[in-house]
Amino acid sequence: MPSSPKVFFASSASSSSRRAGALRRLLSSPAFSAACLLFGLAGFLAAAVTLSRSPSAPRTRCPDSSRPLSVSVAWDRRPGDSSAADLPAHLATGSRGRHKVMAFVGIFTGFSSIGRRRALRRTWLPADRQGLQRLEEATGLAFRFVIGKSNSKNKMAVLNREVEEYDDFVLLDLEEEYSRLPYKTLAFFKAAYALYDSDFYVKADDDIYLRPDRLSLLLAKERSHPQTYIGCMKKGPVFTDPKLKWYEPQSFLLGSEYFLHAYGPIYALSADVVASLVALRNNSFRMFSNEDVTIGSWMLAMNVNHENTHALCEPDCTESSIAVWDIPKCSGLCHPEVKMLELHKRKECVGGPTVAAEVSESEDR
């Protein structure tokens, strides 16, 4: 059987071989190599010039996870308004990632207290974020000023500038009024619980001289009772005269003498106690005129242990004082902007031993 025909193109193959040889001679020549090198250098220089002339992209900062958080508590209506909203459940449960500290200290302040905050930042409270972080690392305590809002645009503008400068506030979506201090206090505890996973939550005023190191030791003590109410405890007559500063309109519910409760300038509630407050609806709380009495009445309704610590209400600096204020003349330091600086110059106020304060437990009455 004839084989399949094969066709050869001898002349074409010969021409291709000649072209390939010429190409190999060209590629191997020094002139071609030099031309390639010059072309590459020219491209590199052109790219460098283009990049140097192009506008730089805006730089973005990495988010600072240490930046203090603000919280908005949607509760700004008069008592009895059933439309008032509670703190959202997703905040109360801590699903947003609560910052872990041993205790969170909210320093209550107002729009007229710029001088007090300045005095605190010049004495026992660091004025910069790094200082606050170092204090938190050393003591386990996180400190923030706590303030509501105002209808005055000027006041809010001034506050916003201070927040921008110091970044040490928790802002509450609640009208800042002294007459509504019990409402602010409840809003604070709910906001603090949403932001911080703490063993204790401390309410403090901006007109006391505080030793954070000693407060840390007090709160770090081992306790058998999970629900604890710590403060400088007191009793006293109920004021029924409308002309008096501490007049209580609901005195008919209280009798002639107040129950055991802590002075208002500083006190602490354990996490279990605050969790119980968070779980209740806002309009289920009875509010008295005075904040310390209001908190004390809530504590009576709970199975809490009253821990009496006189180191939280010392009239002068001592070896064991934690909070110093002018008891009983003033509900804080008299003339705090001046007195705070004076105390900070004294060795017995800033130095001395860091010792645990003596406490006494009082039975609920």
Side-chain angles (χ1 to χ4, degrees), residues 51-238:
L51 288 174
S52 65
R53 291 182 178 178
S54 62
S56 59
R59 297 180 179 180
T60 58
R61 293 187 303 172
C62 293
D64 186 357
S65 60
S66 67
R67 182 178 179 85
L69 298 174
S70 296
V71 66
S72 179
V73 179
W75 182 28
D76 190 20
R77 297 172 177 83
R78 297 296 173 183
D81 185 351
S82 60
S83 63
D86 292 298
L87 185 70
H90 71 280
L91 294 182
T93 58
S95 60
R96 56 183 286 166
R98 299 154 73 206
H99 183 53
K100 177 63 179 176
V101 290
M102 182 177 70
F104 175 67
V105 184
I107 306 170
F108 276 36
T109 191
F111 286 95
S112 62
S113 298
I114 296 176
R116 293 185 182 186
R117 294 192 291 274
R118 185 184 303 117
L120 260 65
R121 295 190 185 107
R122 292 177 61 185
T123 55
W124 61 265
L125 183 70
D128 60 287
R129 182 185 302 174
Q130 291 73 24
L132 285 172
Q133 290 176 337
R134 287 192 296 269
L135 180 61
E136 180 180 320
E137 292 169 0
T139 63
L141 309 179
F143 291 85
R144 300 291 183 270
F145 287 107
V146 179
I147 193 170
K149 65 181 182 180
S150 172
N151 291 325
S152 169
K153 293 182 178 179
N154 181 57
K155 288 182 179 180
M156 291 303 297
V158 172
L159 175 63
N160 288 335
R161 288 195 293 269
E162 188 176 351
V163 171
E164 182 67 24
E165 180 177 359
Y166 294 103
D167 201 13
D168 54 1
F169 284 83
V170 167
L171 308 174
L172 301 177
D173 185 22
L174 190 81
E175 197 70 23
E176 182 68 40
E177 295 179 16
Y178 184 78
S179 62
R180 290 177 58 79
L181 189 54
Y183 297 90
K184 177 181 177 179
T185 304
L186 178 59
F188 156 67
F189 281 120
K190 291 201 171 190
Y193 190 84
L195 292 172
Y196 291 88
D197 178 10
S198 304
D199 297 330
F200 283 93
Y201 298 86
V202 182
K203 180 266 178 181
D205 287 343
D206 61 4
D207 55 357
I208 63 172
Y209 188 88
L210 189 66
R211 283 287 299 262
D213 55 340
R214 293 177 181 173
L215 177 61
S216 174
L217 284 180
L218 171 66
L219 299 178
K221 283 180 48 183
E222 289 290 337
R223 291 175 173 85
S224 58
H225 205 299
Q227 298 189 79
T228 304
Y229 173 34
I230 304 174
C232 183
M233 300 294 170
K234 63 170 180 174
K235 280 188 172 184
V238 176

Side-chain angles (χ1 to χ4, degrees), residues 306-365:
H306 289 63
E307 188 173 299
N308 186 20
T309 306
H310 287 290
L312 292 173
C313 58
E314 293 284 3
D316 203 354
C317 296
T318 68
E319 290 186 350
S320 60
S321 59
I322 299 174
V324 175
W325 45 285
D326 291 319
I327 182 175
K329 292 187 295 183
C330 301
S331 58
L333 289 174
C334 302
H335 311 292
E337 298 175 24
V338 176
K339 188 70 174 289
M340 198 82 65
L341 301 176
E342 292 176 350
L343 290 174
H344 201 63
K345 293 177 181 178
R346 293 170 50 187
K347 182 179 180 180
E348 58 268 33
C349 293
V350 298
T354 301
V355 297
E358 293 184 3
V359 301
S360 61
E361 296 183 356
S362 305
E363 295 296 329
D364 298 347
R365 307 178 194 178

Side-chain angles (χ1 to χ4, degrees), residues 250-281:
Q250 300 183 82
S251 59
F252 63 93
L253 295 173
L254 300 170
S256 60
E257 186 179 64
Y258 284 121
F259 38 78
L260 190 71
H261 63 283
Y263 279 101
I266 182 171
Y267 54 85
L269 303 180
S270 64
D272 280 10
V273 176
V274 176
S276 297
L277 298 180
V278 169
L280 296 175
R281 293 185 59 82

Side-chain angles (χ1 to χ4, degrees), residues 13-24:
S14 176
S15 175
S16 298
S17 299
R18 286 195 298 271
R19 285 197 298 270
L23 181 60
R24 283 195 297 271

